Amino acid sequence: MSTPHRHVRAWAPAALVLAMATSVAACGPATTGADSARDGVSASATPSTPPVRFTVTPAEASTDVRLDAPVTVAVTRGQLEQVDVTAPDGSVLQGALDAAGTTWSSTGPLSASTSYTVHAVATDTAGERVVHDTTLTTLTPVATAFPAVAPLGGSTVGVGMPVIVTLDEPVADDRRDEVERNLHVTTQPQAVEGSWSWQSDTKVEFRPREYWPAQTAVHLDLDLGNVEVAPGVWGTTRDIDFTVGSAVVSTVDLDAHTLTVTRDGEVLRTIPVTAGQTGHGGRYITRSGTKVIMSLEESRQMDAETTGVSPDDPEYYNVAVKYAMRLTNSGEFLHAAPWSVASQGSANVSHGCTGMSTQDARWMFENSKVGDVVVFTGSDRGMEDGNGFSVWNESWEEWTAGSALT
């Protein structure tokens, strides 16, 4: 009988110790999935399952994130299943997962002054799903540079029309290359060789190597939303589509006093004209060179004072003209000039414009569009850079020298 009694006395303390250990474990702090998510470690990890670790870049809970900073979510000891980076309006930042399935990188632009939620789901080596959530907030720009564009979206233009982008904030010299790198011109049905060229710290223009092919669809993508154009100043994104219509190219022979109009290589009409007179220090001589129609106005009041001619000057004029087609910033137009019909085709008597009969001017007006080319020959006075759409007066080498990427 004594042997069983000794066995009971030996077992009882061991049972008591086990019960106490269980009680202590039950009263201790519990580890939850939320705790593990905060640490970027898999909540399902066991001693035999290495924990998933998340790394979010820029650093989690960052503020003042740059708009050109790519967002990445990476995991070790696991595979990513899902990553959503979402703005308050519900829009989702575009991104892609790498081939290994361990790193997601953003491909779309970040918006300014926006708090993004980052939601990532991964699978650990045991096949358990792990969730990780955090936030990122982008910076607020000091200023925003908005790009105005010519031609207008949806318009049909001539083969000489340049693309003109004018920003309302200056671009720093060392940022021109990055700005230009994010201005994209694509064409259909065929690719067109062309180049951007900087005209100032706010204006950059694009022209093809040769005139645009007729009937070309042009798409302009101004992908400047994540480009810092100057310290603290960020761009904005725009898309523009326009069409190049028929190839209307005219030639004005200042010696012969004629305007010859061609469309797609076919001569449509030869019109007698008068152009700028000689004398007066040469200030009224019509410029030779390649000009582009900038605007069409059925009626325009022409006041010589706007070109620097005083009202007390004998050459002063202030007259309404019909069918005015602007060619230069300095005031050269094609227009109706019924008062000079006797000189049209035989003498140059104007103050620099190219005048023709009202009938011919109306026909010209109805058969022209912004961007059509008018080439002038016969005078020693040349076109100045920037005096209208003057891009065709530079050689291709001169034009491309103005690119920040060459």
Side-chain angles (χ1 to χ4, degrees), residues 281-342:
R283 64 178 177 175
Y284 297 131
I285 294 175
T286 302
R287 296 163 177 83
S288 286
T290 302
K291 305 170 190 177
V292 176
I293 294 179
M294 303 171 64
S295 66
L296 293 92
E297 303 174 56
E298 191 165 350
S299 179
R300 179 179 178 83
Q301 191 72 29
M302 291 193 171
D303 185 347
E305 191 170 10
T306 63
T307 64
V309 179
S310 171
D312 58 6
D313 190 310
E315 296 297 326
Y316 174 78
Y317 58 88
N318 190 346
V319 62
V321 301
K322 299 280 289 182
Y323 309 118
M325 293 153 273
R326 179 182 282 275
L327 298 175
T328 68
N329 294 330
S330 60
E332 290 187 18
F333 287 78
L334 305 170
H335 65 76
W339 55 85
S340 64
V341 168

Side-chain angles (χ1 to χ4, degrees), residues 184-203:
H184 308 291
V185 178
T186 54
T187 56
Q188 293 290 342
Q190 65 188 60
V192 175
E193 181 184 5
S195 174
W196 293 95
S197 187
W198 288 87
Q199 308 302 305
S200 71
D201 60 1
T202 59
K203 182 186 291 186

